[in-house]
C-alpha cells in the first residue's frame, strides 16, 4: 500500500504545473521534472507491487514513440545555431519531455491503485483555483495590451489551445464531483472560458469548445431534447449578439475566414490561404522525401514549391520556418512517414485508453477532440508548453478516474 500523502503531493504538483506552465514556462518545466522524479522513485520502491494495465502500456508506448521520433530526428539532423528554424530548438526538448512523460503515464496509475485516499474534492477545488488564477492572469495580459489579440506569454493560438484544455479538465472534474454550488461553478467556468477564447480570437478553439459544450448539453442534461435544443439555440443567438456588439474584431475575423476560403484561388496571401499553401507544399514534400529531411532542407523544398505552385504565397513562406500548422503534416515532413504512423497511433491509444478505463465518452470528447481538431489547424507537439500540459492533463485525469473506479468497486 502507498501512503496517500505522496500521491496527493504529486497530484497537487501536477495541478500547479498545469497552472503556471503557460505564464511561466521555466518554473513549470522544473515542477514537471520534480513530480516525474517522485513518480520514478515511488515506482522503484514499489516495483514488486505495481501492475500495468494494457491500455496504460499502449498509451505510454504511443507517447514514447512520438517523443523518440522527434529526438531521433534531432540527432539525425542537428540544428544550426545560426538558423532560426523552430524545429531545431524545440524538438530535442519536446522529444525528451514526451519520453519522460511516457514513463510517468505508465507508472502513476499503478501507484494510485496502491493508495487509499479520498482526494476527489481536493482535485476539483484545486483545479477551480488553478482555472481562476489562469483566467485572472489572462485578463491581466489583455489589460496590458488592450489593442492586440490576447497572448498568455506565447502565441494567441497556443494560448487558446492550452486554455481550452485547462477549462475542459476543470469542467470534467466538476461534473464528476459532488460539491456545493457545482452548477454555479460550471456556469462560471464556461462563461469565463468563452470570454477568454473570444479575446484570443482563435477560430479553431472557438469552434471546438462550443461543439464540446453542445455534446455535454445533450448527453448530460436531464432536460428533454427539445428544451436542450432551445437552450442551445438561445445561447448561440446571445453569443453572436455579444460578439457583434462587444467584439467586432472577432466578427470581422469570422467573415474574413469565409471570404478567404471562397476566394482562395484568387488570393491565397491570407491566414487560411497560407495554411492551405503550407499543407499542399508539406504533402508534396512528404511524398518526395518520405524518410524525412532537415529543417533547412525542408524550407528550401517548400519555398520552391510555394513559389512555383502557390503563386509565391508570402504569408506561407514566412510561416514555414516555424511549423506547418498541422501536427501530422508537420511531423511527417521533417521526421518521415513513420512519425505520422506514431501520431495516428497516439490518437488511437487515447480513445482506447478512455474506453478501457470505463469512462463515459465525455472524457474522450474532452481531450481527444480538442487535441485532434486544434492539432489539424495548428502544430501543438512542437511546443514545450503543450507537451507538459498534455502529461499533466493525463496525470490529473487519472487521479479523478481511478478514485471513481475504487468507489464503484466498494459499492
Amino acid at each position: 500500500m502507498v501512503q496517500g500523502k505522496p500521491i496527493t503531493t504529486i497530484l497537487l504538483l501536477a495541478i500547479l504545473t498545469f497552472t503556471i506552465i503557460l505564464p511561466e514556462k521555466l518554473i513549470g518545466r522544473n515542477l514537471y521534472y520534480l513530480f516525474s522524479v517522485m513518480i520514478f522513485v515511488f515506482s522503484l520502491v514499489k516495483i514488486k507491487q505495481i501492475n500495468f494495465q494494457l491500455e496504460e502500456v499502449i498509451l505510454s508506448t504511443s507517447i514514447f514513440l512520438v517523443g523518440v521520433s522527434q529526438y531521433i530526428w534531432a540527432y539525425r539532423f542537428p540544428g544550426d545555431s545560426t538558423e532560426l528554424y523552430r524545429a531545431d530548438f524545440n524538438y530535442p526538448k519536446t522529444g525528451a519531455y514526451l519520453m519522460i512523460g511516457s514513463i510517468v503515464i505508465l507508472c502513476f496509475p499503478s501507484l494510485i491503485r496502491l493508495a487509499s485516499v479520498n482526494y476527489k474534492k481536493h482535485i476539483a477545488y484545486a483545479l477551480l483555483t488553478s482555472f481562476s488564477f489562469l483566467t485572472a492572469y489572462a485578463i491581466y495580459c489583455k489589460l496590458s495590451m488592450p489593442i492586440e489579440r490576447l497572448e498568455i506569454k506565447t502565441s494567441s493560438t497556443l494560448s487558446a489551445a492550452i486554455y481550452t484544455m485547462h477549462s475542459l479538465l476543470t469542467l470534467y472534474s466538476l461534473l464528476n464531483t459532488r460539491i456545493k454550488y457545482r452548477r454555479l461553478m460550471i456556469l462560471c467556468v464556461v462563461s469565463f472560458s468563452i470570454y477568454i477564447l473570444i479575446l484570443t480570437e482563435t477560430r479553431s478553439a472557438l469552434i471546438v469548445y462550443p461543439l464540446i459544450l453542445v455534446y455535454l448539453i445533450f448527453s448530460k442534461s436531464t432536460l428533454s431534447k427539445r428544451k436542450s435544443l432551445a437552450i442551445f439555440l438561445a445561447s448561440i443567438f446571445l453569443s453572436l449578439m455579444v460578439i457583434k456588439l462587444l467584439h467586432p474584431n472577432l466578427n470581422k475575423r469570422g467573415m474574413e475566414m469565409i471570404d478567404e476560403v471562397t476566394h482562395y484561388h484568387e488570393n491565397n496571401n491570407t491566414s487560411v490561404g497560407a495554411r492551405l499553401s503550407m499543407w499542399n507544399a508539406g504533402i508534396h514534400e512528404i511524398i518526395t522525401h518520405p524518410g524525412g529531411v532537415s529543417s533547412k532542407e525542408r524550407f528550401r523544398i517548400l519555398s520552391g514549391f510555394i513559389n512555383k505552385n502557390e503563386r509565391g504565397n508570402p504569408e506561407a513562406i514566412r510561416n514555414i520556418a516555424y511549423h506547418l500548422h498541422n501536427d501530422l503534416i508537420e511531423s511527417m515532413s521533417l521526421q518521415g512517414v513513420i512519425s505520422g504512423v506514431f501520431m495516428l497511433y497516439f490518437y488511437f491509444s487515447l480513445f482506447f485508453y478512455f474506453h478501457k478505463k470505463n469512462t463515459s465518452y465525455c472524457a474522450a470528447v474532452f481531450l481527444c477532440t480538442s487535441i485532434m481538431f486544434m492539432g489539424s489547424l495548428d502544430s501543438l507537439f512542437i511546443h514545450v508548453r503543450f507537451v507538459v500540459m498534455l502529461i499533466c492533463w493525463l496525470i490529473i485525469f487519472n487521479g479523478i478516474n481511478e478514485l471513481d473506479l475504487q468507489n464503484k468497486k466498494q459499492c
Side-chain angles (χ1 to χ4, degrees), residues 48-66:
K48 293 183 178 180
Q49 295 176 256
I50 62 176
N51 61 88
F52 306 129
Q53 297 182 352
L54 176 62
E55 65 272 14
E56 294 158 4
V57 174
I58 289 177
L59 180 61
S60 173
T61 302
S62 70
I63 294 172
F64 182 79
L65 289 174
V66 174

Side-chain angles (χ1 to χ4, degrees), residues 13 34 40 110 153 208 256 272 296 403:
L13 283 172
L34 177 59
F40 297 159
S110 298
K153 286 295 185 74
V208 73
E256 284 177 350
V272 174
K296 188 173 184 178
L403 188 58

Side-chain angles (χ1 to χ4, degrees), residues 16-60:
L16 184 58
T17 308
F18 197 68
T19 309
I20 65 174
I21 189 60
L22 196 51
E24 290 294 339
K25 184 171 71 171
L26 181 61
I27 298 176
R29 181 201 66 183
N30 292 337
L31 287 172
Y32 179 75
Y33 288 143
L34 177 59
F35 72 68
S36 296
V37 169
M38 290 180 66
I39 292 173
F40 297 159
V41 170
F42 285 122
S43 297
L44 288 174
V45 170
K46 298 292 180 179
I47 188 67
K48 293 183 178 180
Q49 295 176 256
I50 62 176
N51 61 88
F52 306 129
Q53 297 182 352
L54 176 62
E55 65 272 14
E56 294 158 4
V57 174
I58 289 177
L59 180 61
S60 173

Side-chain angles (χ1 to χ4, degrees), residues 359-371:
T359 61
S360 67
Y361 284 103
C362 178
V365 169
F366 268 29
L367 182 60
C368 301
T369 304
S370 57
I371 289 178

